[in-house]
Amino acid sequence: MGALSEASVREDLFDPLAWSTETHERNMRLAIKAARVSVGLGGAPIGAVLVDDAGAAVAKGYSLVAPRRDPTAHAEMSAIRLAAGRRGRFHLSDLVLYSTLEPCSMCLGACAWASLGAVVFGADGNAAPAEYYDRVDYCAVCHAEGALRDGVRTPLPIRGRVLFGETATLLRRFGGASSSGVRSR
């Protein structure tokens, strides 16, 4: 049997959920900054950032559903699209998504398709204003622990409630209708 390639060794050692609490909090603060930018752009107070194992932010995403009138313009989707474009590939197993809000089922599906290294979120669906989940009757984590696990070879590692207080406060402070008056996620 041949020697393991550097890439396969790296994937085997890539365990973002084992990163320190300080690392998770630092990266979540980047997502919180993105959420504030999102509000300034007329979007919902939700931000996402994809980071690599060196801690570099590869892509940031903003929740711009209402201003773009695009139901897929969630922060997580925007960050994944940007990172895939920059990397020239959709397989992003060397990146970790940080989102201020627990990803919806659409975003979690995109995370699985991108084979992200992990998903880390701040506030869970229970802390969000009702309009952020009014079209979905289950939360992303429940979905990941059930149906998605059967459809994905390697379950998507997920950690929640990182800086929960800060992210939940952000949602409550700026939540509800966007500046355009249209409810959006």
Side-chain angles (χ1 to χ4, degrees), residues 56-86:
V58 173
K60 294 177 185 169
Y62 314 103
S63 182
L64 301 176
V65 172
R68 291 192 179 163
R69 292 172 174 71
D70 177 358
T72 69
H74 291 200
E76 301 92 338
M77 299 289 286
S78 299
I80 291 168
R81 284 185 189 120
L82 184 58
R86 288 180 175 167

mmCIF file of all heavy atoms in Angstrom, residues 56-86:
data_model
loop_
_atom_site.group_PDB
_atom_site.id
_atom_site.type_symbol
_atom_site.label_atom_id
_atom_site.label_comp_id
_atom_site.label_asym_id
_atom_site.label_seq_id
_atom_site.Cartn_x
_atom_site.Cartn_y
_atom_site.Cartn_z
ATOM 1 N N ALA A 56 -7.869 31.859 8.893
ATOM 2 C CA ALA A 56 -8.111 32.911 7.895
ATOM 3 C C ALA A 56 -9.557 32.859 7.414
ATOM 4 O O ALA A 56 -10.071 31.785 7.100
ATOM 5 C CB ALA A 56 -7.162 32.739 6.713
ATOM 6 N N ALA A 57 -10.180 34.019 7.343
ATOM 7 C CA ALA A 57 -11.535 34.114 6.806
ATOM 8 C C ALA A 57 -11.436 34.029 5.283
ATOM 9 O O ALA A 57 -10.847 34.887 4.642
ATOM 10 C CB ALA A 57 -12.187 35.409 7.233
ATOM 11 N N VAL A 58 -12.026 32.991 4.719
ATOM 12 C CA VAL A 58 -11.986 32.759 3.275
ATOM 13 C C VAL A 58 -13.142 33.468 2.587
ATOM 14 O O VAL A 58 -13.003 33.979 1.480
ATOM 15 C CB VAL A 58 -12.015 31.239 2.986
ATOM 16 C CG1 VAL A 58 -12.141 30.955 1.507
ATOM 17 C CG2 VAL A 58 -10.772 30.580 3.571
ATOM 18 N N ALA A 59 -14.300 33.521 3.251
ATOM 19 C CA ALA A 59 -15.485 34.166 2.662
ATOM 20 C C ALA A 59 -16.440 34.574 3.762
ATOM 21 O O ALA A 59 -16.573 33.882 4.768
ATOM 22 C CB ALA A 59 -16.179 33.206 1.696
ATOM 23 N N LYS A 60 -17.124 35.704 3.532
ATOM 24 C CA LYS A 60 -18.159 36.179 4.452
ATOM 25 C C LYS A 60 -19.460 36.238 3.692
ATOM 26 O O LYS A 60 -19.492 36.481 2.495
ATOM 27 C CB LYS A 60 -17.810 37.572 4.978
ATOM 28 C CG LYS A 60 -16.584 37.582 5.857
ATOM 29 C CD LYS A 60 -16.237 38.978 6.295
ATOM 30 C CE LYS A 60 -14.933 38.944 7.079
ATOM 31 N NZ LYS A 60 -14.411 40.281 7.300
ATOM 32 N N GLY A 61 -20.549 35.996 4.421
ATOM 33 C CA GLY A 61 -21.870 36.047 3.796
ATOM 34 C C GLY A 61 -22.833 36.862 4.632
ATOM 35 O O GLY A 61 -22.717 36.928 5.862
ATOM 36 N N TYR A 62 -23.764 37.486 3.940
ATOM 37 C CA TYR A 62 -24.760 38.355 4.564
ATOM 38 C C TYR A 62 -26.144 37.861 4.173
ATOM 39 O O TYR A 62 -26.344 37.375 3.065
ATOM 40 C CB TYR A 62 -24.562 39.796 4.100
ATOM 41 C CG TYR A 62 -23.108 40.224 4.150
ATOM 42 C CD1 TYR A 62 -22.348 40.293 2.988
ATOM 43 C CD2 TYR A 62 -22.494 40.507 5.361
ATOM 44 C CE1 TYR A 62 -21.011 40.649 3.033
ATOM 45 C CE2 TYR A 62 -21.158 40.862 5.413
ATOM 46 C CZ TYR A 62 -20.415 40.939 4.244
ATOM 47 O OH TYR A 62 -19.090 41.281 4.302
ATOM 48 N N SER A 63 -27.102 38.023 5.065
ATOM 49 C CA SER A 63 -28.474 37.606 4.788
ATOM 50 C C SER A 63 -29.193 38.732 4.053
ATOM 51 O O SER A 63 -29.646 39.693 4.667
ATOM 52 C CB SER A 63 -29.194 37.274 6.093
ATOM 53 O OG SER A 63 -30.493 36.836 5.805
ATOM 54 N N LEU A 64 -29.288 38.610 2.749
ATOM 55 C CA LEU A 64 -29.836 39.679 1.910
ATOM 56 C C LEU A 64 -31.069 39.232 1.134
ATOM 57 O O LEU A 64 -31.283 39.630 -0.005
ATOM 58 C CB LEU A 64 -28.741 40.175 0.953
ATOM 59 C CG LEU A 64 -27.493 40.724 1.651
ATOM 60 C CD1 LEU A 64 -26.428 41.097 0.635
ATOM 61 C CD2 LEU A 64 -27.839 41.897 2.549
ATOM 62 N N VAL A 65 -31.887 38.410 1.768
ATOM 63 C CA VAL A 65 -33.105 37.905 1.129
ATOM 64 C C VAL A 65 -33.997 39.056 0.669
ATOM 65 O O VAL A 65 -34.399 39.122 -0.488
ATOM 66 C CB VAL A 65 -33.873 36.960 2.086
ATOM 67 C CG1 VAL A 65 -35.225 36.584 1.512
ATOM 68 C CG2 VAL A 65 -33.037 35.712 2.369
ATOM 69 N N ALA A 66 -34.339 39.958 1.577
ATOM 70 C CA ALA A 66 -35.269 41.053 1.234
ATOM 71 C C ALA A 66 -34.673 42.045 0.239
ATOM 72 O O ALA A 66 -35.305 42.347 -0.771
ATOM 73 C CB ALA A 66 -35.744 41.755 2.494
ATOM 74 N N PRO A 67 -33.467 42.575 0.488
ATOM 75 C CA PRO A 67 -32.962 43.561 -0.462
ATOM 76 C C PRO A 67 -32.729 43.000 -1.869
ATOM 77 O O PRO A 67 -32.897 43.713 -2.852
ATOM 78 C CB PRO A 67 -31.651 44.056 0.146
ATOM 79 C CG PRO A 67 -31.414 43.293 1.371
ATOM 80 C CD PRO A 67 -32.607 42.436 1.658
ATOM 81 N N ARG A 68 -32.389 41.730 -1.963
ATOM 82 C CA ARG A 68 -32.175 41.119 -3.287
ATOM 83 C C ARG A 68 -33.429 40.456 -3.829
ATOM 84 O O ARG A 68 -33.431 39.977 -4.960
ATOM 85 C CB ARG A 68 -31.046 40.098 -3.212
ATOM 86 C CG ARG A 68 -29.704 40.754 -2.992
ATOM 87 C CD ARG A 68 -28.591 39.792 -3.200
ATOM 88 N NE ARG A 68 -27.315 40.465 -3.008
ATOM 89 C CZ ARG A 68 -26.180 39.848 -2.810
ATOM 90 N NH1 ARG A 68 -26.145 38.521 -2.803
ATOM 91 N NH2 ARG A 68 -25.074 40.535 -2.647
ATOM 92 N N ARG A 69 -34.444 40.343 -2.976
ATOM 93 C CA ARG A 69 -35.677 39.636 -3.348
ATOM 94 C C ARG A 69 -35.340 38.233 -3.867
ATOM 95 O O ARG A 69 -35.849 37.782 -4.884
ATOM 96 C CB ARG A 69 -36.471 40.446 -4.368
ATOM 97 C CG ARG A 69 -37.034 41.719 -3.774
ATOM 98 C CD ARG A 69 -37.652 42.628 -4.801
ATOM 99 N NE ARG A 69 -38.307 43.775 -4.231
ATOM 100 C CZ ARG A 69 -37.706 44.810 -3.656
ATOM 101 N NH1 ARG A 69 -36.409 44.825 -3.528
ATOM 102 N NH2 ARG A 69 -38.399 45.828 -3.183
ATOM 103 N N ASP A 70 -34.472 37.576 -3.102
ATOM 104 C CA ASP A 70 -33.964 36.253 -3.466
ATOM 105 C C ASP A 70 -34.080 35.350 -2.241
ATOM 106 O O ASP A 70 -33.358 35.536 -1.262
ATOM 107 C CB ASP A 70 -32.505 36.363 -3.910
ATOM 108 C CG ASP A 70 -31.871 35.023 -4.227
ATOM 109 O OD1 ASP A 70 -32.522 33.955 -4.073
ATOM 110 O OD2 ASP A 70 -30.694 35.016 -4.634
ATOM 111 N N PRO A 71 -34.969 34.379 -2.273
ATOM 112 C CA PRO A 71 -35.162 33.521 -1.102
ATOM 113 C C PRO A 71 -33.961 32.639 -0.776
ATOM 114 O O PRO A 71 -33.921 32.045 0.293
ATOM 115 C CB PRO A 71 -36.389 32.675 -1.474
ATOM 116 C CG PRO A 71 -36.433 32.689 -2.953
ATOM 117 C CD PRO A 71 -35.871 34.010 -3.380
ATOM 118 N N THR A 72 -32.981 32.560 -1.670
ATOM 119 C CA THR A 72 -31.784 31.764 -1.383
ATOM 120 C C THR A 72 -30.609 32.621 -0.915
ATOM 121 O O THR A 72 -29.518 32.092 -0.699
ATOM 122 C CB THR A 72 -31.337 30.955 -2.621
ATOM 123 O OG1 THR A 72 -30.849 31.850 -3.622
ATOM 124 C CG2 THR A 72 -32.467 30.102 -3.157
ATOM 125 N N ALA A 73 -30.807 33.913 -0.731
ATOM 126 C CA ALA A 73 -29.711 34.814 -0.361
ATOM 127 C C ALA A 73 -29.453 34.816 1.146
ATOM 128 O O ALA A 73 -29.280 35.861 1.759
ATOM 129 C CB ALA A 73 -29.992 36.220 -0.882
ATOM 130 N N HIS A 74 -29.407 33.640 1.730
ATOM 131 C CA HIS A 74 -29.070 33.502 3.145
ATOM 132 C C HIS A 74 -27.565 33.709 3.309
ATOM 133 O O HIS A 74 -26.790 33.468 2.383
ATOM 134 C CB HIS A 74 -29.447 32.119 3.661
ATOM 135 C CG HIS A 74 -30.926 31.891 3.724
ATOM 136 N ND1 HIS A 74 -31.477 30.907 4.510
ATOM 137 C CD2 HIS A 74 -31.972 32.499 3.112
ATOM 138 C CE1 HIS A 74 -32.799 30.917 4.380
ATOM 139 N NE2 HIS A 74 -33.114 31.884 3.527
ATOM 140 N N ALA A 75 -27.163 34.112 4.493
ATOM 141 C CA ALA A 75 -25.753 34.386 4.765
ATOM 142 C C ALA A 75 -24.877 33.160 4.498
ATOM 143 O O ALA A 75 -23.808 33.265 3.888
ATOM 144 C CB ALA A 75 -25.586 34.853 6.212
ATOM 145 N N GLU A 76 -25.344 31.997 4.931
ATOM 146 C CA GLU A 76 -24.554 30.773 4.754
ATOM 147 C C GLU A 76 -24.377 30.442 3.273
ATOM 148 O O GLU A 76 -23.282 30.084 2.825
ATOM 149 C CB GLU A 76 -25.237 29.597 5.462
ATOM 150 C CG GLU A 76 -25.442 29.804 6.953
ATOM 151 C CD GLU A 76 -26.792 30.426 7.321
ATOM 152 O OE1 GLU A 76 -27.422 31.088 6.464
ATOM 153 O OE2 GLU A 76 -27.212 30.242 8.479
ATOM 154 N N MET A 77 -25.456 30.561 2.508
ATOM 155 C CA MET A 77 -25.404 30.272 1.069
ATOM 156 C C MET A 77 -24.449 31.234 0.368
ATOM 157 O O MET A 77 -23.666 30.832 -0.488
ATOM 158 C CB MET A 77 -26.802 30.374 0.452
ATOM 159 C CG MET A 77 -27.820 29.408 1.026
ATOM 160 S SD MET A 77 -27.528 27.711 0.556
ATOM 161 C CE MET A 77 -28.071 27.763 -1.143
ATOM 162 N N SER A 78 -24.526 32.505 0.740
ATOM 163 C CA SER A 78 -23.661 33.514 0.125
ATOM 164 C C SER A 78 -22.194 33.221 0.403
ATOM 165 O O SER A 78 -21.349 33.326 -0.497
ATOM 166 C CB SER A 78 -24.030 34.908 0.643
ATOM 167 O OG SER A 78 -25.361 35.226 0.327
ATOM 168 N N ALA A 79 -21.869 32.855 1.637
ATOM 169 C CA ALA A 79 -20.485 32.550 1.995
ATOM 170 C C ALA A 79 -19.988 31.311 1.247
ATOM 171 O O ALA A 79 -18.858 31.291 0.745
ATOM 172 C CB ALA A 79 -20.359 32.356 3.508
ATOM 173 N N ILE A 80 -20.826 30.286 1.157
ATOM 174 C CA ILE A 80 -20.430 29.062 0.450
ATOM 175 C C ILE A 80 -20.205 29.348 -1.028
ATOM 176 O O ILE A 80 -19.210 28.899 -1.616
ATOM 177 C CB ILE A 80 -21.473 27.945 0.663
ATOM 178 C CG1 ILE A 80 -21.445 27.467 2.118
ATOM 179 C CG2 ILE A 80 -21.226 26.774 -0.297
ATOM 180 C CD1 ILE A 80 -22.610 26.580 2.506
ATOM 181 N N ARG A 81 -21.119 30.101 -1.650
ATOM 182 C CA ARG A 81 -20.951 30.449 -3.070
ATOM 183 C C ARG A 81 -19.647 31.196 -3.304
ATOM 184 O O ARG A 81 -18.913 30.919 -4.250
ATOM 185 C CB ARG A 81 -22.121 31.307 -3.546
ATOM 186 C CG ARG A 81 -23.388 30.561 -3.797
ATOM 187 C CD ARG A 81 -24.454 31.491 -4.390
ATOM 188 N NE ARG A 81 -25.721 30.820 -4.443
ATOM 189 C CZ ARG A 81 -26.819 31.232 -3.819
ATOM 190 N NH1 ARG A 81 -26.815 32.344 -3.112
ATOM 191 N NH2 ARG A 81 -27.932 30.540 -3.916
ATOM 192 N N LEU A 82 -19.364 32.163 -2.447
ATOM 193 C CA LEU A 82 -18.160 32.969 -2.595
ATOM 194 C C LEU A 82 -16.901 32.114 -2.427
ATOM 195 O O LEU A 82 -15.956 32.205 -3.217
ATOM 196 C CB LEU A 82 -18.181 34.116 -1.583
ATOM 197 C CG LEU A 82 -17.042 35.118 -1.656
ATOM 198 C CD1 LEU A 82 -16.964 35.773 -3.033
ATOM 199 C CD2 LEU A 82 -17.224 36.190 -0.573
ATOM 200 N N ALA A 83 -16.887 31.276 -1.400
ATOM 201 C CA ALA A 83 -15.717 30.421 -1.162
ATOM 202 C C ALA A 83 -15.506 29.437 -2.311
ATOM 203 O O ALA A 83 -14.369 29.228 -2.757
ATOM 204 C CB ALA A 83 -15.871 29.660 0.153
ATOM 205 N N ALA A 84 -16.583 28.840 -2.793
ATOM 206 C CA ALA A 84 -16.461 27.892 -3.911
ATOM 207 C C ALA A 84 -15.916 28.598 -5.148
ATOM 208 O O ALA A 84 -15.059 28.051 -5.856
ATOM 209 C CB ALA A 84 -17.816 27.243 -4.207
ATOM 210 N N GLY A 85 -16.393 29.808 -5.402
ATOM 211 C CA GLY A 85 -15.893 30.573 -6.543
ATOM 212 C C GLY A 85 -14.425 30.916 -6.393
ATOM 213 O O GLY A 85 -13.646 30.792 -7.344
ATOM 214 N N ARG A 86 -14.030 31.326 -5.217
ATOM 215 C CA ARG A 86 -12.619 31.671 -4.969
ATOM 216 C C ARG A 86 -11.715 30.449 -5.057
ATOM 217 O O ARG A 86 -10.579 30.552 -5.508
ATOM 218 C CB ARG A 86 -12.469 32.333 -3.602
ATOM 219 C CG ARG A 86 -13.013 33.732 -3.566
ATOM 220 C CD ARG A 86 -12.862 34.360 -2.205
ATOM 221 N NE ARG A 86 -13.294 35.746 -2.265
ATOM 222 C CZ ARG A 86 -13.523 36.486 -1.198
ATOM 223 N NH1 ARG A 86 -13.361 35.980 0.016
ATOM 224 N NH2 ARG A 86 -13.915 37.734 -1.327
#
